[in-house]
Structures are given as structure tokens and as C-alpha cells.
Amino acid sequence: MKVSDFTFDLPEELIAQDPLEDRSSSRLLTLDKNTGEIGHDVFHNIVNYLKPGDCLVLNNTKVIPARLIGAKEETGGKVEVLLLKRKQDNVWETLVKPGKKARPGARISFGDGKLVGEVIDVVDEGNRLVKFEYEGIFEEVLDELGQMPLPPYITHQLKDKNRYQTVYAKYDGSAAAPTAGLHFTKELLQQIKDMGVNIAYVTLHVGLGTFRPVKVDDVLEHHMHSEFYRIEEKDAELINETKKNGGRVISVGTTSTRTLESVAEEDGTLHAKSGWTDIFIYPGYKFKVIDGLITNFHLPESTLLMLVSALAGREHILNAYNIAVKERYRFFSFGDAMFIHP
């Protein structure tokens, strides 16, 4: 299986640069994963495609303002630090640009010294371990000084930090948003609950590995970064009950999907669990839990495009994407949505 099997032509102007004013007014492309049949709608009409007894699974991770712009203490040279993973209380694995300014011992000051980071080690792929010093509560300092770490293909400034956050975001820890969830408003979720659809939550802290291009020709040689996940007993039970009663499990986003598929036993049952996953889902994978998926449109040759192809078949997905391009759908994080349904 070649990476080039997952390519399509995307005009640059279809990459959404700004979120819509109303989250739920995005367009919705529906794809029958069995027949390949395609429909077009508006996201708030997702209620028409859900049934009482279904279970919607949402990832309640919260994006932290993980992008810090600072200056090297000795020289004043500008340095950008992106927080990737918390290793210990004040030690983070980070991506530092430019890396050559960040040798062990280098000290970087943010916000006129409100936050100071010292590089203590160089680890995998040139990432830096940075130890932070500050007064008060780290999260509050970060909230004041940090910016949302938008994906590299978004060049516009984000006016409202909350628009790169789902309305149900709860647990701090992501370097990127689980973007399929950005289309839901609190009102829409209430409407979905009121119609008898169960809502379960998982947590997967999205790392930047999500955006890493696949640099090998052979898909099977690609290595996924590991990401932390957690599922509580009550949510596991809700999903198990749904399946037992013949309802459909519909995952919101590839991150929720990867969590469920990592946790499930061979027969598809779930139990409370937390840990790290580097699951890589590509065509040929047999899904244990999910029946349907609400997702955004993904980058050509990305692991996310491979995951949706595993669910609906590569031909169906590429056909849907080509139609989406022709119909001028908006792509990627702030773009439109797709519902892959059974």
C-alpha cells in the first residue's frame, strides 16, 4: 500500500482559514460506507441522520495555548516553543524553533520573565525537554502568554481562542483540537440528547503527530506518535449497552475513533482504561466498535485520510473528496464536515 494511493488535488483556496460565525452552519456531506452514495446537507441537520438508541462518542480534551513566543536570555534572539507533552510537573517535551538556539542550558524568557524555560535535554526527533520556572499557577500563566497552536496550513490570526475549542472541552492537554467536534453547539447537543441518542465521552490528548506528513512510500513503515487516552467506566458501559441493544456507535472525529479502537477487546467490549496509544488505522483494519464517523476533510496522504478509507473504502472516500472539491466544500480544521454512516 503506497502513500500515493491516498492523494487528491486540493485547490489552496478551499483550505478554510477562519471558523464560521455559527458552528453548526457548516455544510455536511453524507457518505454511505457500503454503497458509496453521497448526499449534501447542513450540519445542524445531523439530527435527521441519528436514531434513538444510537450513541455519539465525543473527545472532551481541551487544547492548551501551547505556542509560546520568547527570547533567548543571553542574546535576545526570538525563539518559538510549542508544548507537546507534559513529562513531569514543570518539565515538558517541546518543539523549539530555531532548534540551534536551544542547546541544553539555554534559557528562554517569555512575557518579560513571567515564564522562563531552560532546555535540559534533546530527545527524539530533536524535540527539547524544557523545565519551566514561574510564579503562581502554570495554566494561568500559559493562558496569559500562550497562543493557540493552529495547524501550519492556517495562516490567519484566530480572533477568538474559544473557536479552536469544542463546546464540551474539559481536560487540558491537547496541542491540536479534535476538529470534528467544532461543529456542535450546546443547543444541538441538547437536541440530540432529547431525541434519545446517548452521548458518551472519551479523552485523547491530540499531539502534533496528527499533522505529521507520512514521509515513507510504504504506508506500513509509518510510525505514529503515542498520545494519552482515558475512558471512564460509565462511558464504556453506555457504549457497551448501545451495542447490546442494537444501536449504532457513532464516533465524532478520528481521535475518538482511535481511542475506542485502542481500548476495545477483540469482541468490541470496552472497560475503563487509560494509557498511551500509537494505533495506526489504514485499509484492511477491522473495526471493533464504531459503526459510523463524523469527521472533517483531511489532508492528502495523511494518516487520517487512511483511517476514513479503512472505514468506507478508499474508492468511496476519494470519490467523495473529489465531489467535495467540485462542490467547493471547505477543507481541514475550520472546514465542513462529513458523516460516514452505515
Side-chain angles (χ1 to χ4, degrees):
M1 204 175 347
K2 295 276 176 257
V3 173
S4 55
D5 294 341
F6 298 91
T7 196
F8 62 93
D9 287 324
L10 180 68
E12 202 167 315
E13 69 270 16
L14 295 185
I15 299 172
Q17 291 294 335
D18 302 289
L20 296 178
E21 202 63 43
D22 169 15
R23 289 172 182 262
S24 64
S25 64
S26 313
R27 292 165 76 189
L28 177 69
L29 183 144
T30 59
L31 171 65
D32 184 314
K33 68 178 187 182
N34 301 316
T35 65
E37 189 186 333
I38 283 168
H40 304 282
D41 212 325
V42 180
F43 193 83
H44 53 71
N45 289 338
I46 193 75
V47 289
N48 300 338
Y49 302 91
L50 300 173
K51 302 172 188 163
D54 284 346
C55 183
L56 208 55
V57 184
L58 308 173
N59 179 8
N60 60 12
T61 186
K62 196 170 190 181
V63 186
I64 55 174
R67 186 167 171 252
L68 290 160
I69 310 289
K72 204 170 164 191
E73 276 192 349
E74 294 158 29
T75 60
K78 184 181 155 186
V79 181
E80 181 179 324
V81 175
L82 194 56
L83 306 181
L84 297 177
K85 269 183 205 166
R86 183 178 241 146
K87 290 298 198 181
Q88 290 147 28
D89 269 357
N90 296 324
V91 177
W92 285 76
E93 184 175 332
T94 69
L95 190 63
V96 180
K97 285 194 243 173
K100 60 179 182 298
K101 288 189 182 168
R103 297 196 173 95
R107 288 172 62 82
I108 304 157
S109 167
F110 307 95
D112 297 326
K114 273 189 185 167
L115 180 67
V116 176
E118 181 173 334
V119 180
I120 55 176
D121 201 1
V122 180
V123 290
D124 298 349
E125 298 183 14
N127 290 348
R128 286 358 190 216
L129 287 188
V130 175
K131 186 171 189 181
F132 289 100
E133 302 156 21
Y134 52 90
E135 295 282 315
I137 297 165
F138 183 72
E139 283 70 19
E140 288 177 5
V141 176
L142 192 60
D143 207 43
E144 184 189 338
L145 302 177
Q147 301 171 10
M148 281 302 190
L150 294 179
Y153 47 75
I154 292 177
T155 54
H156 292 192
Q157 275 294 123
L158 183 61
K159 294 185 185 76
D160 173 9
K161 265 186 189 174
N162 288 325
R163 276 307 270 109
Y164 193 58
Q165 204 78 274
T166 63
V167 296
Y168 47 81
K170 191 172 180 185
Y171 298 111
D172 281 337
S174 274
T179 54
L182 296 178
H183 305 283
F184 289 93
T185 60
K186 287 193 160 126
E187 296 73 21
L188 182 56
L189 285 169
Q190 193 54 54
Q191 201 184 339
I192 288 168
K193 262 188 200 156
D194 292 346
M195 59 182 279
V197 173
N198 298 315
I199 293 186
Y201 292 94
V202 297
T203 307
L204 180 116
H205 292 324
V206 189
L208 284 185
T210 294
F211 301 119
R212 270 180 78 216
V214 181
K215 290 183 173 151
V216 289
D217 289 335
D218 183 347
V219 169
L220 308 188
E221 287 172 13
H222 179 71
H223 172 67
M224 296 284 279
H225 274 176
S226 63
E227 295 166 317
F228 178 80
Y229 70 82
R230 181 175 56 239
I231 180 168
E232 308 282 356
E233 194 58 56
K234 65 178 190 320
D235 297 296
E237 279 171 12
L238 191 56
I239 297 165
N240 291 338
E241 279 298 301
T242 300
K243 288 195 91 68
K244 206 161 72 187
N245 298 333
R248 303 175 302 171
V249 176
I250 293 159
S251 168
V252 175
T254 55
T255 59
S256 305
T257 303
R258 292 176 57 241
T259 306
L260 293 175
E261 295 296 322
S262 296
V263 173
E265 309 282 342
E266 276 313 305
D267 64 356
T269 51
L270 300 167
H271 301 285
K273 202 174 175 188
S274 68
W276 295 82
T277 180
D278 60 358
I279 189 172
F280 177 19
I281 295 175
Y282 50 82
Y285 180 84
K286 294 278 178 277
F287 286 87
K288 302 191 282 257
V289 185
I290 74 156
D291 301 296
L293 170 63
I294 294 169
T295 186
N296 279 21
F297 291 94
H298 305 295
L299 279 77
E301 301 191 349
S302 62
T303 58
L304 306 178
L305 188 58
M306 292 169 198
L307 184 151
V308 293
S309 297
L311 184 63
R314 190 180 71 95
E315 285 77 14
H316 286 166
I317 289 291
L318 290 180
N319 178 49
Y321 271 55
N322 288 329
I323 288 171
V325 167
K326 205 162 70 199
E327 296 290 333
R328 314 289 293 169
Y329 273 73
R330 298 160 74 250
F331 275 68
F332 306 161
S333 295
F334 287 140
D336 294 317
M338 180 177 194
F339 178 31
I340 301 171
H341 60 89

